[in-house]
Amino acid sequence: MKEKRILFTGGGTAGHVIVNVALIPVFRQEGWKIDYIGSKNGIERDLIEPMEGVTYHSISTGKLRRYMSKENFKDPFKVMKGTMQAYRIMGKVKPHVIFSKGGFVSVPVLFASWLRHIPAVIHESDITPGLANKLAMPFAKKIVTTFAETISHVSAKKAEWVGAVVRDELIQGNRRVGLEQLGFSPEKAVLFIMGGSGGSQVINKAVRSSLDTLLKEFQIVHICGKNQMDDTIKRDGYVQFEYVNEGLNDLFAASDFVLSRAGSNAIFEFLALRKPMLLVPLSRKASRGDQLLNASSFKKQGYADVLEEEDLTSATLIQHLQDLKEHKNEILRNMSHYESQEAKQRVIEIIKEHSKKTN
């Protein structure tokens, strides 16, 4: 039997990598040869390169900036260079199929896959596609989506709603181990705080200014983001990390409530874990508004409360978290009606269906 090869891409934020992290072990266990194209210094390199059985390749990539910068004029040339690099990599490793999770590193990869006539599958997590996926979608054979609403924003002929792909290991966390790691009591509620893969200064500031009150209600595990820990804060029941990879599932298992940004992958993981959420989506000033749509969808379904960034103060944060605690049982009942669409298995089937066309 001919050896099968798959090439993954995606990066820039953890949200553009985590689905790949969930899928790669399945293909590795089935004997596929796995390559990954990412950027030289992106978070995708930190998450993917240590994985067993994956060969990581870095290429030049552009970046979406929502402000004027001379770098914007250089980006088309970076994308052209990245396309040539990806084209050469594909010529060497000869993948049967490409799977892209998005981010700007994926644009030259998808263009090169089209030039090489290698079928590509794109995963879109948000309700509306980001610019990188919009640019890359014409070069893909298939688009799979997390939200059903996304189908109306992409080519219906290519698109299929599959639901959320959740990492298996997250479901396997141990509450007792997580509480012991944190030094927390099992008798008091635990609040898990995460501001996205890069952290959120706005959320961090609001939380730290509210600690006196919050610590009366919660024990707090705070994922601050790189270089955003405050070592001057020494409080019982408050533990900070820059970022957590190993053992994250145990911290989730130990947590009763979540305060988070509204990135699609993260909030669907919290939903799968049945964690009532207070979401603080990125504002339109700092994004294209995708997190606002994600958060609105979850609020309508009764999975989460939403506090917009412009309204975030110490007082509003405390009030919304108290409300979240009061409505815990109602939110859990709503979450109990959510059924997995077996998304992970369906995505794997789609990838294999398209890879066969190159045999």
Side-chain angles (χ1 to χ4, degrees):
M1 181 178 176
K2 187 176 180 181
E3 183 179 69
K4 301 293 290 183
R5 299 195 75 124
I6 181 170
L7 190 151
F8 289 87
T9 188
T13 67
H16 288 134
V17 187
I18 293 304
V19 170
N20 291 337
V21 171
L23 295 175
I24 284 172
V26 177
F27 286 92
R28 183 170 59 81
Q29 289 167 10
E30 295 184 3
W32 289 58
K33 293 294 183 183
I34 301 169
D35 293 273
Y36 197 108
I37 293 181
S39 62
K40 184 177 181 180
N41 299 311
I43 191 172
E44 62 270 24
R45 186 163 204 159
D46 296 333
L47 293 174
I48 298 296
E49 203 164 37
M51 295 185 74
E52 183 180 350
V54 182
T55 302
Y56 189 90
H57 311 266
S58 62
I59 64 169
S60 173
T61 180
K63 180 180 179 181
L64 172 62
R65 298 175 186 85
R66 299 181 183 278
Y67 53 87
M68 289 298 297
S69 169
K70 64 181 180 181
E71 295 298 318
N72 292 337
F73 300 100
K74 300 178 182 179
D75 283 343
F77 300 100
K78 292 179 181 178
V79 172
M80 290 173 58
K81 180 180 179 181
T83 300
M84 292 185 288
Q85 291 171 325
Y87 186 89
R88 287 195 294 268
I89 291 166
M90 291 176 198
K92 180 179 179 181
V93 305
K94 295 179 171 57
H96 293 87
V97 64
I98 311 290
F99 182 80
S100 170
K101 188 57 199 74
F104 257 78
V105 72
S106 69
V107 176
V109 177
L110 267 292
F111 185 41
S113 74
W114 179 75
L115 293 173
R116 286 281 186 186
H117 304 289
I118 301 170
V121 177
I122 285 178
H123 185 279
E124 177 53 62
S125 293
D126 294 311
I127 291 178
T128 60
L131 180 56
N133 268 354
K134 282 182 179 179
L135 293 172
M137 282 176 179
F139 308 117
K141 293 291 186 181
K142 188 75 173 180
I143 303 162
V144 293
T145 73
T146 295
F147 287 93
E149 298 98 311
T150 310
I151 300 297
S152 63
H153 297 281
V154 299
S155 170
K157 292 180 180 179
K158 291 183 178 182
E160 179 177 334
W161 171 49
V162 297
V165 177
V166 177
R167 294 170 283 174
D168 289 341
E169 63 268 23
L170 290 188
I171 313 294
Q172 301 162 1
N174 185 301
R175 179 175 173 82
R176 179 186 58 80
V177 172
L179 289 172
E180 288 179 355
Q181 180 183 346
L182 296 166
F184 286 176
S185 165
E187 307 300 324
K188 189 174 182 181
V190 175
L191 173 64
F192 183 95
I193 300 172
M194 183 175 73
S197 57
S200 166
Q201 292 182 5
V202 174
I203 292 177
N204 291 350
K205 181 179 179 181
V207 167
R208 288 166 179 153
S209 66
S210 310
L211 280 179
D212 286 343
T213 302
L214 292 180
L215 288 173
K216 295 175 183 177
E217 300 276 345
F218 306 98
Q219 300 169 108
I220 298 173
V221 51
H222 188 174
I223 312 300
C224 307
K226 190 173 182 180
N227 299 322
Q228 295 196 53
M229 287 179 57
D230 187 342
D231 294 328
T232 67
I233 300 176
K234 307 292 184 183
R235 302 289 297 271
D236 290 340
Y238 177 72
V239 178
Q240 304 175 73
F241 299 95
E242 281 195 349
Y243 185 80
V244 176
N245 191 11
E246 293 295 324
L248 181 62
N249 54 353
D250 296 326
L251 299 187
F252 282 157
S255 302
D256 302 288
F257 302 92
V258 168
L259 168 61
S260 173
R261 286 298 197 186
S264 174
N265 293 308
I267 63 177
F268 271 101
E269 288 179 342
F270 298 142
L271 174 58
L273 293 168
R274 304 295 192 257
K275 304 297 179 183
M277 300 165 248
L278 173 59
L279 302 178
V280 183
L282 276 168
S283 69
R284 290 192 182 275
K285 293 179 181 179
S287 72
R288 60 186 174 85
D290 51 305
Q291 290 198 9
L292 289 165
L293 293 174
N294 297 346
S296 176
S297 175
F298 265 46
K299 183 175 183 178
K300 288 178 182 177
Q301 296 174 81
Y303 303 149
D305 190 12
V306 177
L307 176 57
E308 294 196 11
E309 187 172 308
E310 292 85 351
D311 300 323
L312 177 61
T313 64
S314 177
T316 58
L317 176 63
I318 291 167
Q319 184 60 58
H320 276 263
L321 285 172
Q322 289 173 340
D323 291 346
L324 187 72
K325 194 174 183 181
E326 287 181 15
H327 292 95
K328 173 184 177 181
N329 291 335
E330 178 185 345
I331 294 171
L332 289 174
R333 281 196 299 271
N334 293 332
M335 287 179 161
S336 70
H337 300 307
Y338 171 78
E339 295 182 4
S340 168
Q341 300 294 317
E342 300 298 332
K344 183 177 176 181
Q345 186 56 43
R346 180 57 188 143
V347 170
I348 291 167
E349 290 171 359
I350 290 170
I351 292 171
K352 290 179 178 178
E353 287 168 6
H354 284 80
S355 72
K356 292 174 184 176
K357 295 178 182 180
T358 65
N359 286 349

